[in-house]
Amino acid sequence: MLVLADLTSFYVMRALIRSVRDYAALGQWVAEVAETVMPLGILGGWQFAAALFVSLLVTGCYGPGDRRRDTRRLFMAAALATALPLWMTVWVHGLDLVFVQFSITTVLVWVGLSGERLGVDRLVAVVRPAERNAVRTVFLGQDDACRAAMRNRAFTEGSDYRILGFLDTHDPPAPDALGHISDLSTILDRAGVETLVASGYLSEHRFAEVVDIALAAG
């Protein structure tokens, strides 16, 4: 879905540039300026689309979690996709003009990708609400370290994680804990946990136990 949305976004941007440059949608003067800084071939059909796909893939924009909406990754992908077809023109048109073309194209592609992926997120939220799609997550460690980690923006509202609670390494565990860390096997089975987050310090022996139990639980 993301690949199709990205390519659609690219062709929409390409059509908008052509309407301004070739059909003078914003007037003849704007069309002449656009023809200078955005000449024919600057978003060259399938060649740029292929460069954009490769760049998004290389920069991890098709990765899991928040990577698809990371604006810095999207900017790097837009910059790389623009640089791939432009580098040869430096020898023909000079660095100054190519730098202008590179900057404008990169910003346009970045804005288009960011807007498109924001729209994809909105669509996904309607079709499949976040609480259904979020992975069931339990934190492990000392109570204060777990609470601090649970407040991290990576796990708060709108993230890909659904927090079930934490297992305390203290004995007895804190009143708001799901239980002691020794109850991990039971909690995994009972709550259908998909993700474990180690918070604070876990001894090497304790961590090895956690890994063994998690692997055994699948």
Side-chain angles (χ1 to χ4, degrees):
M1 184 176 71
L2 277 180
V3 172
L4 292 176
D6 290 338
L7 294 180
T8 300
S9 172
F10 160 67
Y11 280 106
V12 168
M13 287 183 288
R14 188 165 178 257
L16 289 174
I17 291 173
R18 293 182 64 184
S19 69
V20 172
R21 181 190 62 208
D22 302 339
Y23 305 113
L26 297 180
Q28 188 60 37
W29 182 82
V30 177
E32 291 175 0
V33 174
E35 188 173 1
T36 301
V37 298
M38 301 287 288
L40 290 173
I42 197 69
L43 291 178
W46 67 266
Q47 297 96 332
F48 193 95
L52 182 61
F53 171 73
V54 171
S55 300
L56 289 166
L57 193 64
V58 168
T59 54
C61 293
Y62 292 122
D66 291 340
R67 292 185 182 185
R68 69 176 181 274
R69 63 177 75 95
D70 187 334
T71 54
R72 285 177 296 182
R73 286 178 185 272
L74 292 174
F75 183 82
M76 290 299 297
L80 179 59
T82 306
L84 287 176
L86 268 182
W87 72 271
M88 290 184 296
T89 63
V90 171
W91 307 104
V92 179
H93 300 291
L95 182 61
D96 293 343
L97 181 58
V98 171
F99 179 75
V100 173
Q101 295 173 359
F102 172 80
S103 302
I104 293 175
T105 306
T106 296
V107 171
L108 285 175
V109 174
W110 175 55
V111 170
L113 285 175
S114 298
E116 165 252 310
R117 292 200 170 204
L118 181 62
V120 168
D121 276 350
R122 294 289 183 270
L123 178 62
V124 170
V126 171
V127 175
R128 186 177 178 86
E131 59 269 15
R132 287 182 55 198
N133 203 38
V135 294
R136 299 166 68 85
T137 304
V138 165
F139 291 73
L140 309 171
Q142 297 179 356
D143 53 350
D144 53 349
C146 288
R147 293 190 193 98
M150 289 161 64
R151 291 193 297 268
N152 187 286
R153 60 181 297 183
F155 302 106
T156 52
E157 185 177 352
S159 77
D160 293 325
Y161 300 92
R162 178 184 173 190
I163 297 175
L164 302 181
F166 69 94
L167 293 174
D168 199 351
T169 54
H170 290 136
D171 194 9
D176 56 338
L178 296 174
H180 188 259
I181 195 169
S182 60
D183 302 322
L184 176 60
S185 181
T186 302
I187 294 296
L188 290 181
D189 181 59
R190 188 174 65 195
V193 179
E194 299 169 274
T195 300
L196 293 174
V197 180
S199 309
Y201 173 74
L202 292 179
S203 68
E204 184 177 351
H205 174 70
R206 177 72 76 184
F207 188 77
E209 286 184 337
V210 167
V211 171
D212 289 341
I213 292 172
L215 290 174

